[in-house]
């Protein structure tokens, strides 16, 4: 009786998926934080007693809105004093001008008398000296008037500064290159003082932020830096509004990397017309960094590593033997990956690669439904 030889190994059970040709995008998700596009801390220009604070947290303000008033009693008295000093200076100038005019007439009269031989030359010299002195008094009087006017203007300016108003320069937006949009109201984000306190020069009273547009700050690693461009669109999500997507675009890219993280700061601008997004919110930004139109695409799960080589187990048409094929990977979009190899055709193994070697027979019930012949065990 002849002994039976060893039986062939059973095919390895695997799952496969079809190889595709088509477009694929390189997508990256970056986490970041929302920041206000502009922030202004309103401070007084003079020291004083804070008499009244007109706004509080959450109030909407525009340029020119009165924020607070300082006690102005002393400054009103200073304005009154300066007005009185100006009146005195003007009266003194009028007196000096009248005296100068009188001296000029006297000099003219004596000059005529001298021509007639009636008066002496010494009288003419005295009159001329007096006229020069009166002219000098006029010059001094004019200077005193100018000084009094300047003092009055300074006193009025200090009095005006007791009324503290919101003021800022509107920053340019990169969202629209067309005509400037109407100025949007800003919001009081924080209050630093209470009524009744004494504040010094440049003591912050309130902080005012702009919510339109908003800035999402993310940090991008070196590997993706070369693919960044100003103007790239981004889709943003936040836990505050589950299931909603906000549209922004890259507004600014920092020219230097952080030494500690080797990442670069990127600012995304979001229109936020409804002002639902707020500073401090956590966001995730999805950026399309590259796109390929006609490439070979396989499921990301099909990629495996043998040694230091990345590759696929390819199942050619009408064959039940998996063939190991090294590949180079490219862009990844979700669970799909670009690969570059002319030998990647038909189907690739997506589950069960650990059971496979080059030439391993495999079986999968799904291959018939995907268009190929099912591999059968002997």
């Amino acid at each position: 009786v002849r002994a039976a030889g060893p039986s062939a190994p059973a095919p390895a059970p695997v799952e496969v998926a079809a190889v595709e040709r088509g477009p694929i995008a390189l997508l990256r998700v970056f986490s970041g934080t929302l920041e206000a596009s502009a922030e202004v801390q309103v401070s007084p220009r003079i020291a004083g007693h804070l008499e009244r604070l007109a706004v509080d947290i959450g109030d909407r303000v525009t340029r020119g809105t009165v924020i607070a008033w300082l006690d102005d009693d002393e400054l009103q008295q200073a304005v009154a004093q300066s007005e009185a000093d100006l009146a005195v200076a003007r009266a003194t100038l009028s007196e000096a001008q009248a005296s100068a005019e009188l001296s000029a007439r006297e000099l003219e009269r004596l000059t005529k008398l001298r021509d007639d031989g009636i008066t002496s030359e010494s009288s003419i010299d005295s009159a001329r000296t007096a006229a020069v002195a009166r002219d000098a008094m006029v010059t001094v009087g004019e200077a005193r008037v100018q000084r009094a006017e300047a003092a009055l203007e300074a006193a009025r300016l200090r009095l005006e500064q007791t009324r503290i108003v919101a003021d800022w320069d509107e920053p340019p937006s990169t969202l629209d290159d067309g005509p400037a949009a109407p100025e949007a109201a800003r919001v009081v984000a924080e209050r630093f003082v209470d009524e009744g306190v004494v504040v010094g020069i440049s003591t912050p009273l309130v902080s005012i932020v702009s919510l339109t547009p908003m800035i999402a700050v993310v940090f991008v690693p070196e590997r993706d830096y070369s693919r960044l461009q100003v103007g790239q669109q981004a889709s943003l999500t936040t836990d505050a509004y589950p299931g909603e997507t906000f549209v922004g675009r890259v507004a600014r890219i920092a020219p230097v990397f952080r030494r500690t993280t080797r990442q670069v700061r990127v600012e995304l601008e979001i229109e936020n017309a409804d002002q639902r997004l707020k500073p401090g919110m956590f966001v995730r930004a999805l950026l399309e960094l590259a796109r390929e139109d006609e490439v070979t695409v396989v499921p990301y799960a099909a990629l495996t590593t043998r040694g230091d080589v990345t590759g696929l187990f390819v199942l050619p048409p009408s064959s039940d033997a998996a063939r190991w094929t090294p590949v180079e990977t490219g862009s990844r979009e979700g669970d799909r990956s670009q690969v570059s190899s002319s030998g990647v055709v038909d189907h690739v193994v997506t589950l069960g690669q650990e059971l496979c070697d080059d030439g391993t027979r495999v079986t999968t019930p799904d291959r018939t439904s995907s268009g190929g012949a099912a591999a059968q065990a002997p």
Side-chain angles (χ1 to χ4, degrees):
V1 178
R2 187 173 59 184
S7 59
V14 298
E15 292 185 5
V16 298
V19 177
E20 301 176 0
R21 288 286 298 179
I24 190 171
L26 175 60
L27 304 178
R28 291 280 192 266
V29 177
F30 304 103
S31 300
T33 305
L34 290 178
E35 294 182 1
S37 56
E39 180 176 359
V40 175
Q41 288 189 351
V42 180
S43 306
R45 296 183 178 180
I46 60 173
H49 180 268
L50 184 60
E51 189 173 74
R52 181 185 170 196
L53 193 61
V55 297
D56 210 332
I57 295 175
D59 290 347
R60 299 169 66 86
V61 297
T62 57
R63 279 192 294 183
T65 300
V66 179
I67 301 299
W69 287 267
L70 300 180
D71 182 21
D72 63 355
D73 291 344
E74 292 186 5
L75 294 178
Q76 287 185 358
Q77 289 299 320
V79 169
Q81 179 66 47
S82 296
E83 289 175 343
D85 291 343
L86 177 59
V88 171
R90 286 173 174 170
T92 302
L93 175 60
S94 296
E95 182 181 2
Q97 288 172 336
S99 297
E101 184 178 352
L102 182 61
S103 296
R105 289 178 180 176
E106 179 65 15
L107 177 60
E108 183 180 358
R109 185 181 68 82
L110 291 176
T111 301
K112 290 181 179 180
L113 291 175
R114 184 199 59 184
D115 294 340
D116 295 336
I118 300 176
T119 186
S120 64
E121 192 65 31
S122 60
S123 298
I124 294 295
D125 293 340
S126 297
R128 184 179 294 110
T129 300
V132 171
R134 296 297 187 275
D135 290 341
M137 292 299 297
V138 170
T139 302
V140 172
E142 290 174 344
R144 287 175 176 170
V145 168
Q146 291 178 354
R147 183 176 64 183
E149 289 175 343
L152 176 59
E153 186 64 26
R156 286 173 175 171
L157 179 61
R158 288 177 62 82
L159 179 61
E160 179 67 22
Q161 288 173 347
T162 61
R163 189 174 64 99
I164 304 167
V165 300
D167 190 21
W168 57 77
D169 292 328
E170 202 67 28
S173 172
T174 63
L175 286 173
D176 187 4
D177 297 330
E183 180 181 336
R186 298 190 179 186
V187 180
V188 177
E190 191 171 359
R191 187 186 70 191
F192 302 108
V193 296
D194 294 319
E195 294 177 352
V197 302
V198 177
V199 296
I201 298 175
S202 300
T203 299
L205 304 182
V206 295
S207 172
I208 300 174
V209 298
S210 173
L211 302 181
T212 307
M214 287 295 296
I215 301 296
V217 178
V218 299
F219 291 90
V220 176
E222 288 183 73
R223 65 172 183 173
D224 297 323
Y225 179 76
S226 62
R227 297 187 176 98
L228 289 173
Q229 291 182 356
V230 173
Q232 282 178 323
Q233 286 200 344
S235 299
L236 297 100
T237 58
T238 176
D239 294 338
Y241 303 106
E244 292 192 51
T245 300
F246 300 87
V247 178
R249 74 176 189 178
V250 176
R252 286 165 286 277
I253 303 172
V256 295
F257 283 79
R258 293 192 170 187
R259 294 184 179 180
T260 54
T261 62
R262 302 301 177 186
Q263 294 180 329
V264 68
R265 177 186 173 106
V266 177
E267 295 184 1
L268 310 174
E269 200 165 284
I270 310 145
E271 187 174 356
N272 197 35
D274 53 9
Q275 299 191 355
R276 298 171 66 201
L277 299 176
K278 309 296 183 184
M281 284 184 175
F282 177 81
V283 293
R284 301 173 189 85
L286 177 65
L287 279 164
E288 180 181 303
L289 301 181
R291 173 170 287 274
E292 301 286 348
D293 291 329
E294 277 296 321
V295 293
T296 302
V297 180
V298 299
Y300 185 76
L303 295 171
T304 186
T305 301
R306 295 296 168 93
D308 295 330
V309 180
T310 299
L312 303 164
F313 284 101
V314 179
L315 200 57
S318 304
S319 174
D320 62 353
R323 188 179 74 249
W324 168 253
T325 305
V327 296
E328 294 182 2
T329 59
S331 299
R332 178 182 175 183
E333 181 179 357
D335 59 356
R336 304 164 66 239
S337 178
Q338 173 192 358
V339 295
S340 56
S341 176
S342 59
V344 180
V345 295
D346 200 45
H347 287 73
V348 291
V349 176
T350 59
L351 183 64
Q353 294 100 319
E354 69 278 3
L355 304 176
C356 298
D357 286 313
D358 187 31
T360 298
R361 298 171 61 215
V362 297
T363 179
T364 168
D366 297 333
R367 195 174 180 206
T368 301
S369 62
S370 64
Q376 300 294 331

